[in-house]
Structure formats: structure tokens, C-alpha cells
Amino acid sequence: MVFTVDLSRTSDAMSRVGARCLQRLAAGSVGLVVASLMGMALMVPAKAQDGRKPVKVAAVDFIPAWGDREGNIRRLTQAVERVAAQGVQYAVFPETAISGYDFSDPAQLAPYVDTIPGLATAALLPVLKRTGLIMSVGIAEKDASTGIFYNTAVLLGPDGIIGKYRKNGLNGQDVQLFGPGDTDVGVFDTSIGRIALIICYDDTYWQYDRLAALRGAQIIGWHSVSDRVMPGTPPAKARMNHSTVASVQHMSALNGVWVVGATRSGIERNPITGSQLYYNGGSSIWSPLGHKLVQAAVVPPETLPPGLNGFISTTIIPAEADAIRKKRLAARRPSLYNPLLALRRAPVDSTATVGQRSVQLAAVQWSGPASLLGSSQPQANELMVLPELSGLPTGLGAAGIRGRAETRGGGFETLLADRAKAGNGYLVGSYPEREGSKVFHTVALAGPRGTILGRYRATHLSDSEREWASVGDAPLVVSTPLGRIGLATIGDLAVPELVGLYQTLRADLLAAPGGEPSLLKVEIDPRLYAVSDPPTGRADLHPYLAAKLGQFWVISGGRRAGTFTAAGIFGPEPVVFTPTLTAAAGADAVRYRTEVPAPGTWINQQQLIDGQRNDLSRPLVLEAQNSCFQTWKQAGHGIVSCP
């Protein structure tokens, strides 16, 4: 793989980021990898390619001047010339690049919107035709027919307008200016491969990038203006200090696609209201395995001149996403998701926990190969989660695990219930459960009275689990005085639909016994966090993502191996407020007391569910062979009605 970092205004910090990424690539710690689709161009036919050739891609830091549409179009055209001159073949530019973002209402924004086709496309297309560059850029778009404003990303190439996407995941600022997107999530055939477009706050939801993967995307272009709280902000308001760019890793890791994520730097000031937004940079490019390949510097607030402020780039082979994406999607079980993921609505939802309660959580850590179930005991009213296969030693192999399988009510469940009763708390562990000729990986919850309160059979198996276990048939949430407790395995958490089910079922806590530490860690730049101890390089990625995307606490007991552990407690707002805690060396557990349900700062579970576009979720619950799914996939873009 060729690796390059190109910067029009190179800084020492950005150079250091590139050097570290190059060292990781040379050491082989960043893997490359792999699906299929039939996409269609929106406005002009594109010569589709299979994406097998190397492509130089770039995430561009472009700074618009507030409310200077014509000037920004001119500067954008100049930036495109400079990026293309460096051999870039696909460039992603930030959100709302020709208007700026900080507007108070549609009337204030109205003089600076554009149509598609419009002024910006007319200026850009001749440059693309001459240079051969493909680009996508965020535009505050006015629909020529209806006059409705949309937060839009448009994909352009040498032959014209390829397609566009109107943002679905609208945040508190967006809803004051833009209508909800009506394009669905499209995937477009281009001369370099299949590209999908996502915009900023869309990445708060798992559904939109998943829809792109289901339609066969090889590359996601992500367009953002991810703002942060300004220095000196009062602590009460600083709790809103989220950074959208800190969520980008999940799009690549969960879906097996390349992600080119562009955001901007600088300070944007609205001269009418006096408000200002601080953008901290941090554009990044991710491999289909969820590894960061290159990242721009995360910078402090600074007034910068409008125009090109730099870009990062690397060379990828789009088709190397195909096999990985196919494997990620093969783990899905759409029959489990229908109808909950398509039809469930909030806020008219009586399922959710009412009233706050203080809850003690504990994730147990075992360092040796033996089971320590007999000496594990929760504290009073504590939820304690053990490592997976809690009654067995490690290293048994598939045959050994099957040979130790037992029926419900057997020795494992009896001991688990006894230990819960002894501590007057709640204890979660897992075991190989035999029913007839089948063996399941079953997670059991025991309560303070010494009874089993619930059993869940893993529904999404990891590669190692498939060697000995059959799949279960349903998620499970148990109502307790601590809150609503969902049960899962770590293997389940690699599938975002399972997270979506537990979110929809309004779980407050997800108990997920784990095994050995994962090789896939959180790789998000720690400077993008407001919490004091970000989990970068330390925490396993999948439970971290499950907590954030589901807006519930994830408690995972696990084993320790060297300097890493799978035992952790993962909060629903790990960027802003709730910590990510992993067990220290030599500790028998990591503990934390919190409030349930999580009250939230910039978002909580209720707001997350309210903001979903369930009308776009139908493909998520359809089997691949379903004729409606096939029609939707083959259309490539747009909302498809089925007979």
C-alpha cells in the first residue's frame, strides 16, 4: 500500500501524525481489506469500475467565509485545482462548504443557499473534467421545485453530477434550518469504485452507514463541521462538548468499508448574532478493518483565512473492502430485527425505565486460565458481570466446550445463583447450554434471591463460537430494581442491529461477558474527548461502540492478557461525560457507580430514538433474497416503493 500525507500548509503536528501512521503501516499493524452492489448514477451515467485499481483519496480541510457564497465557490474551485494537482483521485470536502454553518434561521441562510445543479456545480465541473478528479462536498441546498432547504452532499466527477445525498441525522442546529433528507442513503458507481455519502451527525446513528454497506458501498465519504466548546465556556454548557468526528471509527469497523472523513478547522463567527463555533480539525481516513490510516491534527481555536487549509491523503484499493464487508453483513439475521427496527416508535413508549436510580456496576477480571466462579460474589445490589464461559477453564477448544455443556438448572446455574444470593446482588455469567443435540452460548442473570431471572442464547456468533454453538432466537431484557438489563455476548456486539434491538427495547444496562482482549481497539484521537481519561489504544472497540450507539451502559467481564484486558465498563457518552473504565493489572474487577437511566448531555437514549428515520429502516429487516430488498439494492439510491 502506498501511503502519503499531502498538506498545503504543513504543520509539525500533522507531520508527526503521518509519520506515526507510516510506522504502523510498515509494522503491519494496519490491515487492508473487503462486498458487492449494483449502483446507478443520479444525473449522468458513470462508467462503473470494480475498484481494483489503487486510488489516491483525500480528506480536505476547507474553510468557508460566513455568508460569502460566490467567494466560497471561487475559493473552493481553487482548492480543487490544488488538490487535483497532487494526484488525488477522490477528495472529500466538509459540510456546508459554500455558505458556512452557523445560521440562526432559514431566512438568515436563504441568500447563501444553492441549487444542484447550480452555481457551485457550474464552477466546479469544468475543473473536474480537465483534471479527472472525483469530489464530494457539502452544500446548503435549496430544492429548485419545492424551495425546501436541505443539508446536502453532492458527488461530482469529470462527466458531471453523479449523485447527491440529503442529510437524515439532523441535530439541534440542523432542524432550525433544513428539512429531513428525502434521498435515502445512496451508493453511486464511479470510475474508481462505489461511493456513498454521509454527513456529520449521521454518524451518531448506526443505521445510515449500515444502509450504505447493504447497498454495496466500498467507500463512504463523510462530510462534517464538527464543532467543540470554546475555551472558557461555563462548566454547565461545557457538558455539551461532543465531537462528531470522534465517532467515525464505527462506520468502517462495523461495516467493512473505507471511510474518508473530512471536517474543518478554525473559528466561524456569525456577524449578525455574534455567535461563534470552534472547529478542531481531525479529519481522518479509515481502513475496512476499522483501523486509522492517517489523521489531520486536532487544533486549538484560531481565526484562519478562508480557503484551503490543508488535506490528508493515502492510497487505497476500493475493492479490498468487498470481502470484509461481505463477512460483516453475513453475520446479520434480519428475521430477528423485524418488526422492531422498522416499526418501533418513541416517545409513545411505556417500556422505558421511569425515575433515576443509583446503580453499582462491576466487571470481573480473571488473569489465569482457571474459572474463579466459586469465589466471585457481587456486593449488595451490585450488577457484576463475569468473563464468558464462566464455569470453564480456558483452552478447551470446541470439542472440550461441547463436552462440558449442561442443561438449564444444572451445576453452573446453581452455583451462579448461589453466589448472587450470597452477595445479595446480581450476577451474570455464560455457559454452554445443551438442549437436545444443540449447544448454545447462553448468558444467565441470577438475582439476590438465588434465582435465575433470565437466560439469553447468543444470536450473533463470533468465528470461534460458530465452531461449537448454535444461534439463539431472540434478544432478552429483564426488568429489575436496578433498571432494564439486557444480556448479550461480546460476539453479538460486532453487529450493530443487535445494539439497535436493545436500544429499541430500552435497555439501561447491557451485561456482555467477554473472553480474551480484542485486537481491535479504540483508535480515536484522545484530543477529541472531553473526558479526562479517553480509552484510545486501551479499550476494546465493540463494547465501546455498543454503549455509545445504544446509549446504555455496557458491562463486560473478561480475561487479562499481558497489558490488555477485556474487563471493562463502557459509558453511553464516552466522548463527553461517562468514562470508559478497564480493569487495572492485579485487580479482580473494575467498579463504578452511576445513574440509570443515563441522563445524557448532548444526547440520550430517548433523543436518539426520537431522531431516527424509521421510515428508511425497512431494508435493515429484509432478507437478502426478498424481492423488495433486491429492488432497493439494485436501484442504488433513492427511496424505493415495493408493490
Side-chain angles (χ1 to χ4, degrees), residues 364 372-379 382 384 386 418-424 427 591:
V364 171
L372 301 180
L373 172 59
S375 58
S376 296
Q377 180 175 302
Q379 297 176 4
E382 177 181 69
M384 172 178 278
L386 302 173
D418 287 347
R419 300 313 300 159
K421 184 177 182 179
N424 193 32
L427 190 60
R591 285 183 161 86

Side-chain angles (χ1 to χ4, degrees), residues 36-61:
S36 130
L37 132 89
M38 299 170 64
M40 298 173 64
L42 180 63
M43 299 182 183
V44 299
K47 186 177 180 181
Q49 300 293 330
D50 61 8
R52 296 183 182 278
K53 295 181 179 179
V55 175
K56 187 175 184 180
V57 297
V60 183
D61 184 356

Side-chain angles (χ1 to χ4, degrees), residues 13-75:
M14 291 175 118
S15 297
R16 288 195 295 271
V17 169
R20 287 196 297 271
C21 289
L22 184 58
Q23 290 169 358
R24 291 174 59 220
L25 286 167
S29 62
V30 177
L32 300 181
V33 224
V34 186
S36 130
L37 132 89
M38 299 170 64
M40 298 173 64
L42 180 63
M43 299 182 183
V44 299
K47 186 177 180 181
Q49 300 293 330
D50 61 8
R52 296 183 182 278
K53 295 181 179 179
V55 175
K56 187 175 184 180
V57 297
V60 183
D61 184 356
F62 177 81
I63 301 174
W66 187 95
D68 182 11
R69 182 180 63 180
E70 284 70 23
N72 289 330
I73 292 173
R74 182 180 66 254
R75 286 182 283 267

Side-chain angles (χ1 to χ4, degrees), residues 239 361 529-535 538 544 547-548 551-554 569-581 592-595 597-603:
R239 286 167 59 90
L361 308 174
Y529 290 85
V531 296
S532 59
D533 184 22
R538 168 172 55 85
Y544 168 91
K548 185 176 185 302
Q551 284 294 296
F552 41 60
W553 287 89
V554 173
I569 298 174
F570 303 84
E573 292 183 4
V575 176
V576 185
F577 185 61
T578 55
T580 296
L581 305 171
Y592 187 72
R593 180 168 289 277
T594 189
E595 295 294 312
T601 52
W602 61 280
I603 196 169

Side-chain angles (χ1 to χ4, degrees), residues 22 83 86 122 197 221 250 253 318 413 431 458 473 501 506 521 569:
L22 184 58
V83 171
Q86 297 301 313
L197 309 176
H250 90 255
E413 287 193 355
Y431 71 105
D473 56 7
L501 286 176
R506 305 308 301 269
K521 303 295 183 184
I569 298 174

Side-chain angles (χ1 to χ4, degrees), residues 248-563:
V248 176
Q249 188 176 4
H250 90 255
M251 293 193 288
S252 61
L254 297 179
N255 295 292
V257 297
W258 302 95
V259 174
V260 183
T263 190
R264 60 162 289 190
S265 307
I267 298 173
E268 180 177 9
R269 292 183 174 89
N270 181 320
I272 298 174
T273 65
S275 66
Q276 58 184 14
L277 296 176
Y278 157 39
Y279 303 110
N280 53 219
S283 296
S284 52
I285 301 174
W286 298 79
S287 84
L289 286 178
H291 294 298
K292 183 165 56 181
L293 301 179
V294 59
Q295 180 198 295
V298 177
V299 293
E302 180 182 6
T303 300
L304 297 170
L308 180 64
N309 190 54
F311 65 91
I312 56 171
S313 70
T314 189
T315 298
I316 69 172
I317 299 176
E320 287 183 336
D322 289 343
I324 302 265
R325 188 188 71 238
K326 184 177 181 179
K327 182 176 181 180
R328 298 287 184 269
L329 298 181
R332 301 176 68 250
R333 298 185 60 202
S335 61
L336 295 182
Y337 317 144
N338 194 357
L340 280 177
L341 293 187
L343 303 180
R344 189 65 169 248
R345 291 292 189 269
V348 285
D349 181 3
S350 60
T351 308
T353 300
V354 177
Q356 298 293 121
R357 67 281 313 271
S358 178
V359 176
Q360 175 82 6
L361 308 174
V364 171
Q365 173 178 251
W366 292 344
S367 298
S371 165
L372 301 180
L373 172 59
S375 58
S376 296
Q377 180 175 302
Q379 297 176 4
N381 295 315
E382 177 181 69
L383 174 61
M384 172 178 278
V385 182
L386 302 173
E388 66 181 11
L389 300 177
S390 317
L392 304 181
T394 61
L396 289 178
I401 294 171
R402 290 184 66 87
R404 301 282 289 272
E406 56 184 85
T407 58
R408 292 186 175 186
F412 171 78
E413 287 193 355
T414 299
L415 182 55
L416 188 77
D418 287 347
R419 300 313 300 159
K421 184 177 182 179
N424 193 32
Y426 297 82
L427 190 60
V428 176
S430 74
Y431 71 105
E433 178 203 351
R434 182 175 298 282
E435 182 180 76
S437 62
K438 292 184 176 181
V439 174
F440 300 93
H441 188 179
T442 297
V443 182
L445 167 65
R449 295 185 178 181
T451 59
I452 299 298
L453 303 178
R455 303 174 180 90
Y456 162 78
R457 292 168 170 173
T459 56
H460 300 81
L461 304 179
S462 66
D463 289 343
S464 60
E465 287 172 318
R466 290 189 189 96
E467 296 178 2
W468 61 269
S470 298
V471 294
D473 56 7
L476 178 71
V477 176
V478 181
S479 293
T480 75
L482 303 184
R484 293 176 59 79
I485 302 174
L487 303 179
T489 66
I490 287 297
D492 283 314
L493 303 188
V495 182
E497 284 87 345
L498 189 280
V499 175
L501 286 176
Y502 279 116
Q503 171 201 96
T504 301
L505 292 170
R506 305 308 301 269
D508 303 308
L509 305 157
L510 188 63
E516 298 292 327
S518 171
L519 295 177
L520 185 59
K521 303 295 183 184
V522 176
E523 295 183 14
I524 301 160
D525 191 317
R527 292 169 294 180
L528 294 171
Y529 290 85
V531 296
S532 59
D533 184 22
T536 299
R538 168 172 55 85
D540 288 355
L541 181 64
H542 286 143
Y544 168 91
L545 293 181
K548 185 176 185 302
L549 294 172
Q551 284 294 296
F552 41 60
W553 287 89
V554 173
I555 310 95
S556 178
R559 302 275 179 169
R560 187 168 194 89
T563 59

